[in-house]
């Protein structure tokens, strides 16, 4: 009964992983809500966030330990990751998506695939340039979060898992408040409903889109930082599978819906953790993709999504 | 593809006018395929080395893939991001049924249609969710399928060894005609000799010629017109009495079987297959060929294959930058010339590629189509 006993433990892993997926999924969902476009390069924005946090960590601890107090380090890493990813997301939208807003649906998607190849290879080439190779990078998470954890009812919750879960919940609640309470949130929702009418009502639609990219990419950057600390290893290809799975999570919950993205992320994370225990670990990615295909085949609008009529 | 779209009982057009474009389409298709075969013949005659024939064969294999994907993406407007999976399934069909791995040695000519059929069946499977999802969701579904196929190819060596996992399959049989094996030794017709590489080049030429003929004919056929109409507006097409289900499915099945056949051919040519040849980046490479050459254009697919196969060969020292360049090409082509280098985004039913038309099209201002209707 080894497997059954490990279930609560797997649940903890699954929730930590799932909250990361949820944060990335939010970026997909928000952009999709406003533009009806899958931002394929979102996973790469997440990856850049992870590298930005690693660079910050190395810079701060490297030179004689400028900062060595964990919480400050963590805060600076998160901030660096969010700023880098947020800026990158906005830049990508300006350069690769905005000029294509009036062209066919295929064009921005192909452009996004191009952006994702470009970002991945720039990071890879920079790594080769400054290090000589593009091997995965080790993240000294021990400098930021003390090793060990808490024992709750026989389940081990490591400090990093708690951190990942806690930070992502705080950020997601903040996003929820932003979208439902602030005037920016109101204009975002209006744009998502109907960009043309929103524009007529005096909303700066392009500005809303820029801010949507900024917030979504910033969340992905924070997720990158948390993943770097949790797995202590990052590489330039990490954005691809994380991005696809987060997209699966967004779709699972119903794309365009913020609560859906959170729920989808957690469901996917837990499913994946359980799949890794019950089946071979090699098939855990397969579960995520199969779940995605299945959900889209049965409920194209996602689990929590409503069916939308196609406008003609 | 004669069983598709039964003609309506009341034909308003006189039969004379209905049949003449068909004959014209047949003539143009035959002419264009003739040009292709003639060029390939020249390549054999003029190729300076065996190596260049190898590269030319690679161009043809990718051209077949690009032409298949072009039907799905270019004509039907369904973005398929896992296209290479069909190629992989075809290649593995041949590798598993014609090698020492399972000690099964079926004939190439039997397995070519089998590989196409297996890929087509996978195409139907991928197409099923496609019927209910639209646009971008479909892209992700196909991507997911591509990844699933890849994961299966890598991991199906345990508990029962089916694919031999990451080690791939080696020692795949050569295709044989009667007792003679293609690619085993040189064939000499008097002074003129066909090296083993050249024999595969001939095989690939025949395959691409067949694919090209089908693609050109389909483009002008009722089904092809339905695809192009569906690309512009699904709702309008379906209200004209076209079955969207059938149109989508047939696009997927055509693309998949073309890729499956190319896979069988490539497995036989290389003599080995590895799962790594069917990564997502390969799907992107084929997509880049279609986009670069011109979405919807058959010759564009060939040109795209030629460019993207030759580019890394010519820029060997830039090998590291290959994917970066692909990415830049995708973004820049979408921004500067979304119709591709040789393509036409003309929504018209016939888009003749004559020089005069091309110039006229360039002078015309691009139509401003709303992104969201």
């Amino acid at each position: 009964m080894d497997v059954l006993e490990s279930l609560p433990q797997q649940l903890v892993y699954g929730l930590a992983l799932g909250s990361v997926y949820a944060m990335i999924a939010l970026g997909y969902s928000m952009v999709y809500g406003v533009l009806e476009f899958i931002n394929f390069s979102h996973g790469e924005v997440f990856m850049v966030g992870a590298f930005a946090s690693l660079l910050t960590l190395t810079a701060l601890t490297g030179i004689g330990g400028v900062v060595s107090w964990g919480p400050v380090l963590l805060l600076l890493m998160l901030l660096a990751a969010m700023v880098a990813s947020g800026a990158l997301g906005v830049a990508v939208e300006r350069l690769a998506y905005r000029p294509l807003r009036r062209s066919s649906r295929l064009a921005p998607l192909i452009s996004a695939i191009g952006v994702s190849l470009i970002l991945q290879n720039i990071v890879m080439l920079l790594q080769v340039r400054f290090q000589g190779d593009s091997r995965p990078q080790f993240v000294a998470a021990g400098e930021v979060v003390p090793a060990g954890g808490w024992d709750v009812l026989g389940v081990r919750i490591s400090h990093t898992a708690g951190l990942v879960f806690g930070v992502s919940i705080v950020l997601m609640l903040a996003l929820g408040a932003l979208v439902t309470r602030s005037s920016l949130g109101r204009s975002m929702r209006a744009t998502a409903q109907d960009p043309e009418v929103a524009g007529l009502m005096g909303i700066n639609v392009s500005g809303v889109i820029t801010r949507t990219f900024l917030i979504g990419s910033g969340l992905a950057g924070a997720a990158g930082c948390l993943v770097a600390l949790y797995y202590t290893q990052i590489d330039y290809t990490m954005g691809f599978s994380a991005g696809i799975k987060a997209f699966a999570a967004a779709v699972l919950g119903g794309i365009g819906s913020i609560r859906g993205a959170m729920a989808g992320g957690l469901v996917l994370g837990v499913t994946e953790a359980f799949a890794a225990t019950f089946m071979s670990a090699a098939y855990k990615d397969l579960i995520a993709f199969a779940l995605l295909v299945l959900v889209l085949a049965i409920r194209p609008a996602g689990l929590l999504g409503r069916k939308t009529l196609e406008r003609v | 593809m004669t069983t598709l779209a039964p003609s309506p009982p009341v034909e308003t057009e006189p039969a004379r006018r209905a049949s003449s474009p068909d004959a014209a389409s047949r003539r143009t298709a035959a002419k264009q395929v003739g040009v292709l075969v003639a060029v390939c013949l020249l390549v054999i005659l003029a190729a300076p080395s065996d190596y260049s024939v190898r590269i030319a064969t690679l161009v043809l294999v990718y051209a077949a893939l690009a032409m298949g994907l072009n039907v799905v993406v270019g004509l039907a407007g369904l973005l398929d991001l896992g296209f290479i999976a069909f190629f992989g399934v075809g290649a593995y069909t041949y590798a598993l049924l014609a090698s020492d791995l399972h000690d099964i040695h079926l004939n190439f000519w039997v397995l070519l249609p089998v590989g196409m059929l297996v890929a087509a069946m996978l195409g139907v499977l991928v197409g099923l969710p496609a019927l209910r999802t639209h646009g971008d969701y479909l892209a992700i579904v196909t991507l997911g399928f591509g990844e699933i196929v890849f994961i299966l190819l890598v991991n199906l060596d345990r508990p029962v060894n089916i694919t031999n996992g990451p080690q791939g399959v080696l020692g795949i049989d050569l295709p044989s005609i009667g007792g003679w094996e293609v690619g085993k030794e040189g064939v000499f017709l008097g002074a003129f000799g066909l090296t083993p590489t050249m024999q595969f080049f001939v095989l690939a030429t025949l395959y691409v010629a067949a694919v090209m003929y089908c693609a050109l004919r389909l483009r002008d056929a009722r089904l092809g017109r339905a695809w192009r109409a569906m690309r512009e507006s699904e709702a309008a097409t379906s209200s004209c009495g076209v079955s969207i289900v059938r149109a989508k499915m047939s696009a997927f099945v055509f693309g998949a079987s073309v890729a499956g056949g190319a896979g069988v051919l490539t497995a036989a040519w290389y003599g080995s297959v590895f799962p790594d040849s069917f990564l997502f980046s390969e799907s992107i490479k084929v997509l880049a060929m279609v986009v670069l050459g011109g979405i919807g254009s058959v010759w564009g697919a060939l040109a795209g294959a030629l460019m993207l196969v030759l580019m890394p060969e010519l820029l060997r020292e830039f090998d590291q930058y290959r994917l970066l360049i692909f990415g830049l090409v995708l973004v820049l082509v979408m921004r500067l010339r979304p119709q591709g280098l040789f393509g036409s985004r003309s929504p018209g039913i016939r888009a003749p590629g004559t020089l005069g038309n091309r110039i006229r099209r360039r002078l015309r201002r691009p139509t401003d189509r709303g992104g969201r209707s």
Side-chain angles (χ1 to χ4, degrees):
Chain A
M1 281 288 103
D2 237 16
V3 172
L4 274 187
E5 273 169 24
S6 73
L7 270 189
Q9 187 65 57
Q10 293 302 325
L11 189 68
V12 172
Y13 295 146
L15 286 176
L17 184 64
S19 53
V20 170
Y21 287 155
M23 274 209 286
I24 309 172
L26 282 170
Y28 279 112
S29 216
M30 286 163 63
V31 166
Y32 195 90
V34 174
L35 283 178
E36 288 191 13
F37 149 67
I38 296 174
N39 181 11
F40 202 88
S41 64
H42 194 58
E44 264 55 58
V45 170
F46 153 80
M47 177 270 292
V48 168
F51 272 87
S53 66
L54 171 64
L55 282 180
T56 315
L57 178 65
T58 321
L60 290 178
T61 53
I63 319 153
V66 184
V67 183
S68 53
W69 193 44
V72 176
L73 266 179
L74 173 69
L75 212 62
L76 289 174
M77 281 170 74
L78 265 178
L79 205 66
M82 291 174 81
V83 168
S85 292
L88 183 66
V90 171
V92 166
E93 193 268 328
R94 275 283 157 83
L95 295 175
Y97 307 152
R98 185 167 298 185
L100 302 175
R101 216 176 275 165
R102 294 227 141 257
S103 53
S104 73
R105 286 187 77 102
L106 220 56
L109 193 57
I110 291 174
S111 184
I113 293 167
V115 168
S116 129
L117 285 177
I118 293 172
L119 292 178
Q120 235 180 64
N121 283 280
I122 285 179
V123 171
M124 189 266 281
L125 289 168
L126 284 176
Q127 245 186 302
V128 170
R129 173 77 181 72
F130 291 106
Q131 281 191 312
D133 59 51
S134 56
R135 279 179 310 190
Q137 293 292 302
F138 175 71
V139 181
E143 305 270 351
V144 186
V145 194
W150 306 280
D151 278 307
V152 184
L153 302 170
V155 178
R156 183 95 180 142
I157 303 174
S158 69
H159 287 146
T160 42
L163 175 80
V164 168
F165 198 65
V167 171
S168 50
I169 291 294
V170 168
L171 284 176
M172 287 192 280
L173 286 179
L175 177 77
L178 180 81
V179 170
T180 46
R181 305 262 156 90
S182 72
S183 80
L184 170 63
R186 202 158 40 240
S187 38
M188 273 168 69
R189 279 179 288 139
T191 309
Q193 290 242 321
D194 192 326
E196 268 164 53
V197 175
L200 292 175
M201 295 297 144
I203 289 171
N204 175 2
V205 173
S206 284
V208 168
I209 290 171
T210 303
R211 271 166 226 164
T212 307
F213 270 88
L214 181 72
I215 295 168
S217 305
L219 281 175
C225 174
L226 293 176
V227 161
L229 290 173
Y230 188 59
Y231 288 108
T232 67
Q233 191 173 314
I234 60 176
D235 68 292
Y236 69 93
T237 57
M238 69 194 280
F240 175 66
S241 75
I244 294 304
K245 286 184 199 159
F247 179 78
V251 169
L252 206 61
I255 200 158
S257 139
I258 285 178
R259 228 172 288 160
M262 296 182 194
L266 293 179
V267 168
L268 187 68
V270 172
T271 314
E272 211 182 292
F274 284 177
T277 3
F278 285 114
M279 299 166 65
S280 123
Y283 286 112
K284 78 176 179 12
D285 285 0
L286 193 129
I287 294 297
F289 295 125
L291 202 63
L292 171 73
V293 171
L294 215 67
V295 166
L296 281 182
I298 296 164
R299 268 188 77 90
L303 293 178
L304 300 181
R306 267 167 295 135
K307 204 175 157 72
T308 51
L309 276 176
E310 197 172 334
R311 278 168 287 179
V312 182
Chain B
M1 293 266 168
T2 47
T3 54
L4 295 152
S7 43
V10 186
E11 193 76 56
T12 46
E13 291 269 304
R16 180 180 49 83
R17 287 190 56 194
S19 77
S20 99
D22 184 56
S25 151
R26 198 178 308 141
R27 264 199 308 278
T28 16
K31 233 183 280 174
Q32 296 194 27
V33 170
V35 171
L36 174 82
V37 172
V39 170
C40 288
L41 211 63
L42 272 178
V43 169
I44 289 198
L45 291 174
S49 64
D50 225 37
Y51 171 73
S52 49
V53 178
R54 266 192 93 78
I55 299 298
T57 315
L58 199 60
V59 170
L60 287 181
V61 168
Y62 274 112
L65 285 175
M67 284 176 194
L69 184 62
N70 183 47
V71 164
V72 183
V73 178
L75 294 186
L78 306 164
L79 186 54
D80 187 341
L81 294 181
F83 192 66
I84 210 73
F86 302 125
F87 182 59
V89 164
Y92 264 89
T93 303
Y94 187 68
L96 298 182
L97 298 179
S99 70
D100 292 329
L101 181 63
H102 300 301
D103 214 16
I104 306 171
H105 297 275
L106 296 180
N107 189 286
F108 174 82
W109 302 101
V110 175
L111 288 180
L112 184 65
V114 169
M116 293 174 81
L117 191 73
V118 172
M121 281 176 349
L122 187 71
V124 171
L125 209 65
V126 179
L128 280 177
L131 298 175
R132 301 199 50 190
T133 56
H134 70 99
D136 313 342
Y137 282 90
L138 174 63
I140 299 298
V141 170
T142 53
L143 196 161
F145 257 108
E147 291 300 299
I148 289 174
V149 168
F150 175 72
I151 293 170
L152 287 178
L153 290 182
V154 174
N155 289 302
L156 277 183
D157 55 343
R158 284 160 294 131
V160 186
N161 189 358
I162 300 173
T163 63
N164 210 24
Q167 285 86 33
V169 184
L170 302 168
I172 298 170
D173 299 349
L174 293 169
S176 62
I177 304 172
W180 168 68
E181 285 185 312
V182 176
K184 194 158 200 181
E185 55 211 13
V187 180
F188 290 93
L189 301 163
F192 185 71
L194 278 179
T195 63
T197 320
M198 285 181 185
Q199 294 167 27
F200 275 109
F201 179 75
V202 171
L203 213 56
T205 304
L206 292 177
Y207 187 68
V208 173
V211 169
M212 189 175 184
Y213 186 77
C214 293
L216 284 170
R217 292 284 287 133
L218 271 174
R219 189 191 60 187
D220 296 332
R222 177 184 284 274
L223 181 62
R225 298 198 303 270
W227 284 338
R228 281 180 285 159
M230 182 172 76
R231 177 186 74 190
E232 300 306 328
S233 166
E234 222 170 87
T237 310
S238 118
S239 65
C240 289
V242 171
S243 160
I244 294 291
V245 171
R246 200 179 289 174
K248 277 188 179 176
M249 271 305 182
S250 49
F252 264 113
V253 165
F254 179 78
S257 46
V258 165
V264 171
L265 192 73
T266 312
W269 175 37
Y270 278 11
S272 57
V273 291
F274 303 96
D276 280 0
S277 317
F278 313 112
L279 281 169
F280 175 68
S281 58
E282 284 292 302
S283 287
I284 294 303
K285 195 169 162 185
V286 180
L287 181 69
M289 288 168 184
V290 172
V291 170
L292 183 67
I295 290 176
S297 150
V298 176
W299 281 99
L302 184 66
L306 187 69
M307 278 186 277
L308 287 193
V309 172
L310 287 188
M311 196 173 73
E313 294 299 325
L314 297 175
L315 307 172
R316 279 224 167 253
E317 64 260 52
F318 297 114
D319 197 40
Q320 276 191 322
Y321 299 95
R322 209 185 62 230
L323 282 174
L324 181 68
I325 294 171
F326 278 178
L328 281 171
V329 162
L330 287 180
V331 174
L332 288 178
V333 168
M334 280 302 113
R335 243 192 106 154
L336 304 174
R337 220 184 132 72
Q339 73 273 44
L341 299 178
F342 301 93
S344 63
R345 276 287 295 179
S346 145
I349 291 304
R350 282 186 71 82
T354 63
L355 187 63
N357 269 313
R358 218 170 285 162
I359 292 169
R360 238 168 281 142
R361 210 177 298 134
R362 292 199 68 150
L363 294 176
R364 212 185 299 147
R365 274 190 50 222
T367 46
D368 194 16
R369 219 172 285 120
R372 322 163 36 114
S373 37

